[in-house]
Amino acid sequence: MSELQFTIPTLFGLEGICADEVRRLGLPQVRAENGRVLCTGSEADLPRLNLNVRTGERVLLTLGAFPARDFDALFEGTKALPWERFIPKDGQFPVKGHSLNSALRSVPACQSIVKKAVAARLGDKYGLRTLPEAGALHQVQFAIMGDEAVLMLDTSGPGLHKRGYRAQGVAAPLRETLAAGLVLLSRYKGRGPLCDPFCGSGTIPIEAALIAKNRAPGLNRSFSAQKWGWLDKKFWMSAADEAMDQEFDGEYEIWGGDIDPSAVELARHNAQLAEVDELVRFGVDDATRFHWGGLYGRVVTNPPYGERVMERKEAEELYRAFGRAWDKFPEGWKLFLLSSHTEFERTFGKKADKKRKLYNGMLKCDLFMYL
């Protein structure tokens, strides 16, 4: 089996956590960079990455990188890559990408040139003037940073945050990859209670249950590369078998609460779809009066920010009241709270022991850690 290069884009702030996940899968040459994790692996690792990675946005197969200071260099560099190894005669190969700090500023122009270069290479190799593009999807992606272009194929299809359990969300939902990142940053492994008193559609408790059970997040969905002829189907089967063999059985104390009964109903429905409804309990509850028995545990939560869901003043009043509720918790409890509110610590009434910068989509946030 030949060695392949993979790029796994992440939300900013989750690169280190994602790199740790990839290392645990036993892949070599793992490297975290800004907004992405790089590694090498075999054909068998392509399904393993897609099925198992919790905090990556997608798995891209990297075909090559080269200097591209002008459009001619972009065309020639793209055409020189071995596209025929991965895209069959009838494969669809739409192109998308981005350009940062580059002389090649126009993304549509770059798309058009990459498309022509791939078509020229495939046309030469298959002896065709026109390619039918009627078969499986092979999404081409480019990233141009400064003078360098990187060309990739998207193996995932819909982003990896689309686990398949959230048919619909509540307003301003938290992305599943970020929810998993929060749980992993809290170092939760299934021991002790984990509570989310602002659970919305249940994403944090559901991701916590998947982590506690060690259930691969991609088991209930499909991926683009499953339709690729060059990738043996047996690799998908063995990756799924391996993932299921590593699941744990156990009882966990995972709870989600929300003041909105319809959100709680939706959270229960999503937990059923994720097949963790027996591991998580949800209830209608007011976070400002929130309390939990026991001397230790953790709260991992994402309250409204006052940016999109509710007004800033309302958010501040909510933080104040939640701060008073948190004061009554025993010292063995830890709090991991994500907010974009610049005055969060002041309104909550307590300085965080640690802070970590994260992004919820394009929104800059802090994870406030009370340890």
Side-chain angles (χ1 to χ4, degrees), residues 29-314:
Q29 297 177 46
V30 180
R31 198 165 87 242
E33 293 186 351
N34 254 351
R36 62 184 188 174
V37 172
L38 308 175
C39 65
T40 58
S42 67
E43 290 169 12
D45 290 319
L46 191 157
R48 293 178 70 235
L49 286 167
N50 273 297
L51 284 172
N52 290 290
V53 169
R54 297 180 195 281
T55 56
E57 294 302 307
R58 54 186 67 247
V59 178
L60 303 172
L61 176 60
T62 310
L63 269 80
F66 51 86
R69 291 183 186 88
D70 55 40
F71 289 127
D72 285 345
L74 180 62
F75 181 89
E76 294 303 335
T78 302
K79 193 181 173 199
L81 297 173
W83 297 100
E84 68 282 358
R85 183 181 159 198
F86 304 106
I87 303 176
K89 195 185 287 192
D90 66 343
Q92 293 179 56
F93 55 100
V95 176
K96 63 182 178 188
H98 62 267
S99 171
L100 279 175
N101 306 324
S102 167
L104 309 184
R105 270 195 286 278
S106 165
V107 170
C110 293
Q111 275 175 295
S112 168
I113 281 158
V114 168
K115 178 79 180 179
K116 280 181 188 146
V118 178
R121 170 90 184 198
L122 293 175
D124 287 351
K125 294 291 174 185
Y126 295 129
L128 294 170
R129 289 185 65 178
T130 309
L131 294 154
E133 291 202 59
L137 175 68
H138 297 69
Q139 177 70 58
V140 176
Q141 285 215 16
F142 64 85
I144 302 172
M145 312 274 275
D147 288 335
E148 187 179 72
V150 183
L151 271 293
M152 301 161 285
L153 283 173
D154 179 6
T155 74
S156 302
L160 293 182
H161 68 280
K162 296 194 172 167
R163 317 282 207 222
Y165 67 71
R166 194 164 70 182
Q168 57 187 119
V170 292
L174 186 69
R175 196 173 267 212
E176 293 84 336
T177 42
L178 181 54
L182 299 183
V183 174
L184 291 169
L185 285 166
S186 83
R187 298 179 185 261
Y188 175 71
K189 295 192 173 72
R191 286 186 290 280
L194 182 140
C195 306
D196 176 5
F198 297 97
C199 78
S201 56
T203 312
I204 290 174
I206 290 169
E207 290 296 322
L210 293 170
I211 286 166
K213 195 177 165 54
N214 203 35
R215 183 177 178 82
L219 278 172
N220 286 351
R221 56 159 287 175
S222 57
F223 304 92
S224 274
Q226 282 173 289
K227 295 192 173 134
W228 293 359
W230 61 269
L231 189 61
D232 199 318
K233 298 266 185 289
K234 72 178 182 197
F235 293 137
W236 293 97
M237 302 292 286
S238 61
D241 287 344
E242 175 196 42
M244 288 189 281
D245 286 347
Q246 290 176 358
E247 284 185 20
F248 306 138
D249 279 327
E251 291 191 10
Y252 307 101
E253 204 175 346
I254 303 169
W255 176 86
D258 202 280
I259 203 160
D260 176 2
S262 62
V264 171
E265 212 38 60
L266 182 58
R268 287 191 181 122
H269 175 65
N270 289 342
Q272 271 180 329
L273 291 177
E275 298 171 11
V276 294
D277 47 315
E278 289 177 10
L279 307 180
V280 190
R281 286 187 300 126
F282 291 102
V284 178
D285 210 314
D286 180 353
T288 64
R289 295 188 183 84
F290 172 63
H291 191 70
W292 198 262
L295 293 174
Y296 72 98
R298 72 201 69 212
V299 173
V300 182
T301 195
N302 173 50
Y305 301 159
E307 298 241 0
R308 298 179 289 183
V309 181
M310 63 199 299
E311 290 309 310
R312 206 173 164 83
K313 265 208 163 13
E314 279 178 67

